[in-house]
Amino acid sequence: MSNIQSVSQSNNTILVNGSQLNQVGADKQPLELKNGSTIQGKVLSIEDAEGEKIVNISVGDNVLSARLSEGMGLREGQMLNFVVKSLSSNNVSITPLYENTSIDQSTEKALNAAGLEVNRDNVQMVKTMMEHSLPIDKNSLQDMSKALSAFPNTSIDTLVEMKALNIPITDNNIKGYESYRNYEHQVINEMQNIIDELPNAYETLTNSGNSDTAMKLYGEVLKLFGNEEAAVSEGTVNAETVISQNEQTVTDVAKELPKAEVLLNEAVEETVLDKADNKAQNTAHFSDTLKELGIKEETINRFLSDVKGSSGSLSEKELLGELAKAFNEADLTNNAEAAAWKKLFSSNEYNKLLKNNIADQWMLKPDEVENKENIQNLYQRLGKQINNLTETINNTMGAESKLGQAANNLQNNLDFMNQLNQMFQYVQLPLQMTGQNAHGDLYVYRNKNKRMSEDGSVSAMLHLDMENLGPVDVYVKMLEKKVSTHFYVADDSVLDLINDNIHILNERLEKRGYSMQVTMKLHTDEDGKDMAVDEMLDVSKMPIISTASFDARA
């Protein structure tokens, strides 16, 4: 058996036969090593360093870094037992115990039948598959072995879990699955990255002397978001519900929760500037630029009326649409006209206008969540727009640019969500709430072989991430017209806030004919960061494939 040598350590103290090997911090439990002693640890990572393989192993409060002997096949995520082989004043040699593999007769027999070598990785593969209730027949083992070979940098746990959840194993799906597992899956973050980076990309191109390319980028973006209706009408998705009436009802109950914005208002500090005041700044220069572009004076006056909050005003959405029409008819070979468009695209007022419009088209207001068609339309629109936007960015900035990577990340996220929608009743809810944007996950439970649970109830989990309140998880269970609701929140102040305002949500549901019981609890250390995602990806639950989906790709 190969040894692991040259062990160093961080975060704490190592004691070698009673003497300190090094001292980093003594506030935690020291790690004591003696010849022949056994320690257990988890492989955190394996790195290349100057031609050698370095493994980082978590042991209690400690992290050991060690050089791997040639041919040693450790994998990230493995829990292993090690025996201390030799010690010196500055060097420790440890070796994995073969019993880590927990090999038994059935495992060896299964591997032999599949024609696979009986080694540590393959034994761990069989063990993990059995833990996740997967078959270990010849074909299943050979298929999983091929997946391990095709994706050597992916942990066995990840590949087996994806197989157990019927998620196709591809590069993009692995990245998507791991992002969900690490709670880094929020589309709203990727949306915000694109919205924030667009003006920076335009400025970068302009400052580097690529004014024509900058004009092409912003012109295409203007046409894409200024012609919203065209984007929605192209490409249809069959998202007709195949959900039972009870499942649709509990979904509606869960969706009532983000609508009750008043529960959140008291916690949100009023730091948002008044919209009218923001628009009023520098409107004179902005309106002059609009005139230079041939925008009708009546249109400009209506927009100025909107700034002042007057009736008969023109919304930002309508103004962007007027600008898109004007750009379609523009003669950019005319120096004066081209200069006017450059002036517009460089202005703060236009970039605020563009950002607000993109956010309005890519996010939902709480009162829009109730209508399922709004969610369907959002993902139809988003899928079509991000495909076109990614193509435009690749042709102007390049796929490796910061903006290109942000667009590609969002597109991959949508593609993976579409994969999830084939199996789960799940959707992300990017929300525009009072003074902030918020991320939401909505997951409706599905019994493995039935549409409802044994008692006829239906359940859903709603997760919300809000800047001022932190993570809020809401479990909803409904039986006929009786609704049981459990709130899980970050601290006592949020409990008090919900308790003081819960009557508002109760009144909303009573108008729909429901009676509600509420329980409020604090998150525990054992809870994940997103209970909706945790429940959805819990392999032991084994939900059936759902035929109702929100197709994120359009």
Side-chain angles (χ1 to χ4, degrees), residues 408-470:
N408 187 62
N409 288 341
L410 179 55
Q411 190 167 40
N412 288 341
N413 196 326
L414 296 178
D415 288 341
F416 183 69
M417 198 192 308
N418 186 68
Q419 294 281 353
L420 292 179
N421 292 159
Q422 310 310 311
M423 291 156 286
F424 305 106
Q425 186 69 20
Y426 165 82
V427 69
Q428 286 194 46
L429 303 173
L431 299 169
Q432 282 184 314
M433 307 187 81
T434 304
Q436 63 175 308
N437 296 327
H439 162 76
D441 292 290
L442 178 62
Y443 169 61
V444 179
Y445 291 83
R446 303 293 295 272
N447 185 274
K448 183 175 181 181
N449 297 312
K450 301 179 180 179
R451 303 180 74 85
M452 295 180 292
S453 63
E454 295 295 333
D455 62 359
S457 65
V458 187
S459 304
M461 179 69 79
L462 175 70
H463 171 83
L464 294 172
D465 274 320
M466 292 167 286
E467 182 178 350
N468 295 280
L469 299 184

Side-chain angles (χ1 to χ4, degrees), residues 175-176 178-194 363 379 382 406 409-411 413-414 416-417 426-431 437-441 463-466 471 529-531 533:
K175 292 176 183 176
E178 291 179 339
S179 72
Y180 273 74
R181 272 299 185 204
N182 296 325
Y183 310 112
E184 297 170 349
H185 61 289
Q186 296 91 340
V187 295
I188 197 167
N189 292 340
E190 292 154 353
M191 293 172 177
Q192 196 61 55
N193 288 339
I194 294 173
M363 299 179 196
Y379 281 104
L382 180 58
N409 288 341
L410 179 55
Q411 190 167 40
N413 196 326
L414 296 178
F416 183 69
M417 198 192 308
Y426 165 82
V427 69
Q428 286 194 46
L429 303 173
L431 299 169
N437 296 327
H439 162 76
D441 292 290
H463 171 83
L464 294 172
D465 274 320
M466 292 167 286
K529 295 181 181 179
D530 186 330
M531 293 174 70
V533 168

Side-chain angles (χ1 to χ4, degrees), residues 198 202 212-227 320 323-324 327-328 332 341 345 350 354 358 385 388-396:
L198 273 170
Y202 178 84
D212 291 342
T213 305
M215 182 73 73
K216 179 181 178 182
L217 170 66
Y218 251 33
E220 292 299 320
V221 170
L222 172 58
K223 289 188 285 186
L224 182 60
F225 293 98
N227 297 315
L320 198 72
L323 287 169
F327 189 84
N328 283 332
L332 298 180
W341 281 106
F345 289 158
Y350 175 77
L354 179 63
I358 296 176
Q385 288 177 337
N388 291 339
L389 181 61
T390 300
E391 183 179 355
T392 295
I393 293 170
N394 290 344
N395 293 334
T396 52

Side-chain angles (χ1 to χ4, degrees), residues 195-340:
I195 292 171
D196 291 340
E197 188 57 30
L198 273 170
N200 297 333
Y202 178 84
E203 184 178 5
T204 297
L205 289 172
T206 301
N207 292 341
S208 61
N210 296 312
S211 296
D212 291 342
T213 305
M215 182 73 73
K216 179 181 178 182
L217 170 66
Y218 251 33
E220 292 299 320
V221 170
L222 172 58
K223 289 188 285 186
L224 182 60
F225 293 98
N227 297 315
E228 179 189 354
E229 295 305 320
V232 175
S233 62
E234 296 177 22
T236 58
V237 177
N238 181 16
E240 290 295 324
T241 179
V242 195
I243 313 171
S244 71
Q245 181 60 43
N246 283 339
E247 284 176 321
Q248 183 60 60
T249 305
V250 78
T251 302
D252 289 341
V253 171
K255 290 174 182 176
E256 277 290 333
L257 299 167
K259 285 178 61 182
E261 272 192 280
V262 69
L263 296 179
L264 313 175
N265 287 347
E266 292 185 9
V268 179
E269 296 181 6
E270 294 299 330
T271 58
V272 182
L273 297 176
D274 184 79
K275 209 171 186 181
D277 290 341
N278 278 334
K279 291 181 183 177
Q281 296 176 3
N282 299 319
T283 51
H285 294 295
F286 188 54
S287 61
D288 289 342
T289 304
L290 295 177
K291 291 177 183 177
E292 292 179 42
L293 296 173
I295 302 299
K296 296 178 181 179
E297 188 169 349
E298 178 186 356
T299 299
I300 297 172
N301 290 336
R302 287 182 61 203
F303 177 69
L304 294 177
S305 295
D306 181 61
V307 173
K308 299 174 183 177
S310 305
S311 59
S313 60
L314 184 78
S315 68
E316 290 182 332
K317 176 181 175 181
E318 291 174 301
L319 178 59
L320 198 72
E322 291 293 325
L323 287 169
K325 292 177 184 177
F327 189 84
N328 283 332
E329 300 170 358
D331 179 11
L332 298 180
T333 62
N334 183 306
N335 291 336
E337 193 166 351

